[in-house]
Amino acid sequence: LGIHALLVVAVTLSPVTAAAQSKNNVTGEDAYPPLWDLAPKSLLDFPVKDNKIVISAWNYQERLGVYKSLLNASAQYFDAFGPQNSGNILWGLPLQHGWQFRTGRLADPSGVTSCGYENGEHLCQSVRSWWSCMNYYLSIIPFLGAVEAGLFGQLPYEIEILPPEEQKDDFCYSVKDCWSRTPKLMDDWKAFFEVNNSATVSSFKLDDALGLMWKAHTASIAYALPIFQDSLKYLSDPEAKFGSDWANGVDFIAATHFCTDLPTTNNFQAYLPQRMLVEEDIPPFISDFSPQQNRVLVSLTALQQGNKLTGGLLLKLWQKAMSTEAGREKGRQLIEGLASS
């Protein structure tokens, strides 16, 4: 396959393709994750106990506050890329988490508790939620990596993350603990934040930052996937399949150094499923989903199956095509071209 043919094939299969048909720019309050204004703005807005900043990672608003702290602390490096920190590439993480919250994916899927439900503990994030557990590795691990990299300067207190009520061994809870349990992940996230922290604003290069961020992002997903495989049993078959397919699709998106700033993420997130999938849902025939939302699900499955049938060759070819800045630019242009078509 020539490089252009490969790009067309991979982009055609990519989950971004269907989502890219959106021409709607999300503005105003809808551009931000739910309850964004109520989340803690900095680390010193969290409770302090026994000389430690204590963060409840199983409370949606506090996990959102972790993201907000990261965005605010790194804002200076992204000023040139958009007003009011909108060009910050860390926006992809809280926006994904906000979508998970809004669509009920952080609630207890087993129905045993009221965690995450509006008539119960609305802000609770269930440790039985596959999405919530996977997201822990894309929120708390990056955050502790940033602490270690010095993004927040010299903090007056240590950081302590409160554990969930069950599955405590599946997570780490402090910088030292996470270095002990997940050294590679901490190293990858630290490397991303160190480059930001050590670069002068004038020498900051967005493509380099995106490469390091996506390297850490995909490493977090790859590490967490086998740990939480059993959590998929609480979900309907279509929802479990969607989660697995989505995790696979991220590798393809990552290879392009796809820009995860505020407007871009909002545009491409517009056609993700806006509710949990149930047993009766058979894409592309889900009646209360738009044609584009149905296409996202079909495309994700095709991408996963294509990669599996080729023994991972499809992803390797795609990554090879994306190994140069020119190749990545071409890949993004194809995606952006689809967006304006």
Side-chain angles (χ1 to χ4, degrees):
L1 284 176
I3 183 169
H4 187 266
L6 173 62
L7 295 175
V8 170
V9 168
V11 170
T12 300
L13 289 174
S14 169
V16 177
T17 302
Q21 304 302 323
S22 171
K23 296 178 183 176
N24 301 322
N25 289 318
V26 182
T27 56
E29 286 185 11
D30 289 342
Y32 299 93
L35 308 178
W36 183 252
D37 287 343
L38 300 178
K41 295 178 182 177
S42 74
L43 293 189
L44 297 180
D45 289 333
F46 287 96
V48 175
K49 185 179 180 182
D50 298 330
N51 258 1
K52 292 180 179 179
I53 294 171
V54 180
I55 299 173
S56 175
W58 301 96
N59 174 287
Y60 168 74
Q61 205 161 297
E62 293 204 20
R63 202 182 286 195
L64 206 59
V66 165
Y67 285 131
K68 203 171 191 178
S69 300
L70 285 173
L71 278 156
N72 288 338
S74 60
Q76 61 178 314
Y77 302 104
F78 298 96
D79 281 346
F81 304 106
Q84 298 178 310
N85 206 20
S86 62
N88 195 320
I89 61 174
L90 289 171
W91 273 114
L93 296 173
L95 286 169
Q96 267 284 285
H97 198 47
W99 164 77
Q100 291 162 0
F101 176 76
R102 190 171 57 247
T103 58
R105 287 179 163 85
L106 304 179
D108 182 353
S110 71
V112 171
T113 71
S114 62
C115 180
Y117 293 97
E118 289 197 24
N119 60 352
E121 303 165 85
H122 185 44
L123 297 179
C124 173
Q125 292 194 202
S126 176
V127 74
R128 296 187 180 199
S129 161
W130 179 85
W131 294 96
S132 183
C133 291
M134 292 293 294
N135 177 265
Y136 192 95
Y137 282 79
L138 291 170
S139 55
I140 300 306
I141 306 293
F143 165 65
L144 293 174
V147 171
E148 183 73 352
L151 185 70
F152 300 101
Q154 193 67 37
L155 289 170
Y157 309 105
E158 289 183 37
I159 306 286
E160 181 183 3
I161 311 296
L162 296 179
E165 293 182 1
E166 50 187 307
Q167 296 176 227
K168 293 180 183 180
D169 290 342
D170 291 339
F171 309 96
C172 57
Y173 306 105
S174 67
V175 170
K176 184 178 179 181
D177 186 28
C178 290
W179 268 117
S180 173
R181 296 199 204 189
T182 59
K184 168 134 190 348
L185 299 187
M186 286 290 285
D187 201 46
D188 284 347
W189 282 109
K190 184 178 178 234
F192 165 66
F193 287 108
E194 272 182 340
V195 165
N196 294 352
N197 208 26
S198 63
T200 61
V201 174
S202 60
S203 69
F204 184 82
K205 194 173 180 188
L206 189 62
D207 186 68
D208 291 344
L210 282 162
L212 287 167
M213 194 251 336
W214 278 116
K215 180 186 176 187
H217 188 121
T218 53
S220 282
I221 291 177
Y223 183 91
L225 268 175
I227 297 175
F228 302 113
Q229 187 68 27
D230 285 350
S231 298
L232 292 171
K233 70 185 178 187
Y234 296 118
L235 303 175
S236 70
D237 286 345
E239 179 69 18
K241 189 173 187 316
F242 165 58
S244 298
D245 288 351
W246 177 247
N248 170 75
V250 170
D251 283 325
F252 288 83
I253 298 170
T256 71
H257 293 187
F258 186 77
C259 188
T260 46
D261 61 15
L262 183 73
T264 309
T265 303
N266 270 318
N267 284 342
F268 285 96
Q269 197 164 264
Y271 288 124
L272 290 180
Q274 295 306 301
R275 63 164 174 79
M276 295 274 279
L277 300 178
V278 296
E279 295 295 350
E280 295 76 25
D281 289 329
I282 304 173
F285 309 110
I286 304 175
S287 60
D288 61 332
F289 281 14
S290 68
Q292 294 91 343
Q293 287 171 329
N294 273 290
R295 274 186 64 190
V296 166
L297 297 173
V298 172
S299 299
L300 275 169
T301 297
L303 185 64
Q304 169 83 306
Q305 289 177 345
N307 197 41
K308 191 173 181 180
L309 285 170
T310 59
L313 181 62
L314 183 61
L315 176 60
K316 288 176 183 174
L317 288 171
W318 174 248
Q319 288 171 332
K320 186 175 181 181
M322 298 293 106
S323 62
T324 66
E325 199 160 343
R328 291 190 293 275
E329 184 178 358
K330 195 165 188 179
R332 291 192 300 268
Q333 282 175 353
L334 276 172
I335 292 172
E336 288 161 8
L338 289 166
S340 60
S341 64

